[in-house]
Amino acid sequence: RLYWVCVGWLRTAIWGAKVICGVQWRVHGFDHLPGADKLQPVILVGVGNLGAALLRYGGFQKEGFEVAAAFDVEPEQAQRRNAPTQVRPMQDLGEFIRNNQVKMAILAVPEESAQGVVNRMVKAGIQAILNYSPAVIRVPEDVNVRNVDVAVELENLSFYLKRPRKKAGDGG
């Protein structure tokens, strides 16, 4: 896992690093570095305020990812949020994942619908999920999930604000 972090840093920090990292990946038995020759497709499910903001985020491409499609239960309403990607209806989710061999998804749906959506995505072939939903989702062992909870992160920052700060020269 640390290797992934280093590869991502190298790819963005050094011009031409895709070639360098590509060689390292071949040395380690991998055919290619994700994003080195084409953008890796990702889907986004849930185009409310947070999902629409994620769709407008410009940093995915520079890291080798492309939001290939977005899905919502109310695609017409979601499209009015100025989403730069066409928002598709949820009934197209499984077919799109299978037909386009998408392996990664960003989840930004309400808590009460998260597990059902995850079950559909995993059944269709999703193997990695970035979860912005407040739900604790259950997945098979071979599916990787990273939870992003902004409130918990703020709580962590708040904890450090309340700790006494060490002054320069205090040995810490």
Side-chain angles (χ1 to χ4, degrees):
R1 293 177 195 208
L2 179 59
Y3 188 72
W4 277 98
V5 172
C6 292
V7 167
W9 175 81
L10 282 172
R11 189 177 47 201
T12 57
I14 304 169
W15 285 105
K18 289 182 183 179
V19 175
I20 294 167
C21 291
V23 170
Q24 285 186 349
W25 275 81
R26 281 191 285 280
V27 167
H28 287 87
F30 292 93
D31 293 322
H32 70 289
L33 176 68
D37 56 351
K38 67 175 190 161
L39 296 176
Q40 185 171 351
V42 177
I43 60 166
L44 184 137
V45 182
V47 189
N49 291 328
L50 178 58
L54 288 168
L55 281 178
R56 290 189 297 271
Y57 173 64
F60 293 125
Q61 280 196 333
K62 76 174 187 164
E63 294 299 331
F65 301 100
E66 167 191 35
V67 179
F71 297 88
D72 198 273
V73 292
E74 297 177 345
E76 297 83 19
Q77 181 179 354
Q79 197 67 56
R80 287 193 291 264
R81 297 182 192 275
N82 297 322
T85 304
Q86 178 189 2
V87 181
R88 300 167 182 260
M90 288 298 292
Q91 58 262 30
D92 296 349
L93 180 67
E95 182 180 359
F96 185 90
I97 292 168
R98 285 186 294 276
N99 289 346
N100 294 281
Q101 299 177 354
V102 179
K103 302 298 178 198
M104 297 177 64
I106 301 169
L107 183 68
V109 299
E111 184 173 11
E112 58 274 6
S113 57
Q115 188 63 55
V117 171
V118 166
N119 293 346
R120 291 175 60 190
M121 292 191 307
V122 169
K123 183 177 180 183
I126 291 295
Q127 297 172 355
I129 301 169
L130 183 60
N131 178 24
Y132 280 92
S133 167
V136 175
I137 56 176
R138 294 174 308 281
V139 296
E141 274 187 32
D142 61 338
V143 176
N144 195 349
V145 175
R146 292 291 179 258
N147 296 300
V148 180
D149 188 327
V150 177
V152 169
E153 296 305 324
L154 285 171
E155 187 177 307
N156 289 338
L157 288 173
S158 175
F159 170 78
Y160 287 104
L161 285 175
K162 293 175 185 174
R163 292 178 60 193
R165 299 184 104 172
K166 293 186 179 191
K167 295 180 182 160
D170 282 350

